Amino acid sequence: MENFNMEQLENAKVTSINKGDIVTGKVLKVDSNTVFVDIGYKMEGKIDISEFNSPPRMNDEIEVMVIEKDEYIGELLLSYKQAKFMKAWKNILEIYNDTKYISGIIERKLNNGYEVDIGIIAFLPFSQIRHTENFEDLREKQLMFKIIDIKQKFNKVILSRRQYVEEVNEKNRKETLEKIEEGQIIEGVVKNITRFGVFLDINGIDALIPRSELSWSINVDPKDIVAINQKIKAMILNFDKRLGKITLSLKNLQSNPWNTVDEKYQEGMIAKGKVLKIINSGVFIELEPGIEGFIAKENLTWAKHIKSPFEVLTGNDLVEFKILKIDKMNKKIALGLKQILPNPWMEISKKYYVGQKISGKVKFIVKNGAYIEIDENIEGFLDLNDVSWTKKFITGFDAFKKGEVINAVITDISAESQLLKLNLKQLLVNPWEVLNEKITSKMPVDVTVDKVMARGSYIKMENDLNGFIPATHYDYYHSREQYHGKEQYHIKEQQHHKEQPPETLHKGDKVKCLIIDIDQRNKLAICSIKEYKRTIAEKEMEKYIKKDSSGGMKLGDMINLNQIMKKE
């Protein structure tokens, strides 16, 4: 046997070894094919160098297994791999019978899972990995697993990463819940950021920092304060041990600026701040971090109507304002922007007067009218009833267009209400007054039938006026059936009290009539063809009477009068 001598035999500490024994030896020599090891026996052991990932060094102590012993030829074959494998199996079995938790390194991805080195190659199914973990994050890292099954006959070990993490988290959770109490400062990792707050992971426990507890500032974006996976400390505000719910506060670790607000700010004071947020009803202003005020929409400008606060201010603007009211208890400060500007209504009478003609643009339309911008911050109101003598509008949107120029007359000025009353139709001739004159003088008018209904006909008149002829005021001499004689006329007229009047007019007909009344509410002239005919007849009668100085009338004259009435 190579390098074997009597001195080694005499110094041998191990007198007996058996196949399968695992012993510790010292590396004596390493060549290109073999590693020679002294295990304290009377002969040196040999290990094939291919069993090592990298060759051992001289005097390294390693554990080996006795594979074959032949004292006749003086050969002792050892295995480094087998010793390592058996030792690993022994360790695995001990762990499996105890905590079942073992460390290992994920080495390779397979079709249905991963290979993990735990001293031997174990199998980790995909189903036993947490959904938040992936191969690239886990590969070649020392991780903990749980042994969930062993098939020693096949040298197979099944692992679970998911079960290990869940069980450890649950254990940590219970331990943490036993220790924590309200008012305690605790550390956690930001797990999720939502619009209503921030979720922290505290040893497997989900805790919430509500948005209102992130900062003393009211309008704050959680993403501007914390970031995902950031470690932060917070104070426990509320702890429900039964439900395991924890509510935290970040702002309670900072001093409350509202405690000294009355020392820095007073009502009536002029101050400066930054626009934080603009909403439909007004603007939030930051006086300092944690101290915010609000400018209501009506306190932004002396103009009574603005569509949006964006017309006056924009985000991050630095503005000067007046402090109107401080409510320390409710942490509210009312601010005013227009209060530091000159009030144009204080000197309104110097610039405008009742009866003055003005011109302005339609700024804001409402149901019953429109607000007209006469000057910067000065508005007048034009009511629907003061727009036209003849037209009837249902809403302001029927009468006005935003931005159009309107000419009107000032009818009232109220500095207290900050409003001018305007009238447009006073600039126009009142056609109803003209019609009243025609009623008195019984002057006939020419009209066009616009719409025929059972109860009468709507008509179009001069100057865009509308009128109505009741069916009872039609000309019955022009009905579809011709009636001759006074007796037949009365019969037909009596029938109309019981039945629908005959259709004697058609759309587009041009007729003469008299105005007998005016419906001011509906802006309609009530007309009568019958009265017109009667008036003509009376005039003709008077004419013939005057011709007959004796007071009598000839039969021929009566016939001519009847023909005149039919023609008219």
Side-chain angles (χ1 to χ4, degrees), residues 360-365 370-372 400-404 406:
K361 288 184 178 180
V362 175
K363 187 174 183 182
F364 193 76
I365 302 173
Y371 289 90
I372 312 300
F400 305 102
K401 289 182 180 180
K402 187 174 180 181
E404 72 172 317
I406 298 290

Side-chain angles (χ1 to χ4, degrees), residues 1 4 41-43 69-76:
M1 179 180 176
F4 183 82
Y41 192 55
K42 58 185 177 182
M43 63 182 78
K69 179 182 71 171
D70 191 335
E71 293 187 3
Y72 179 75
I73 61 173
E75 187 173 66
L76 180 64

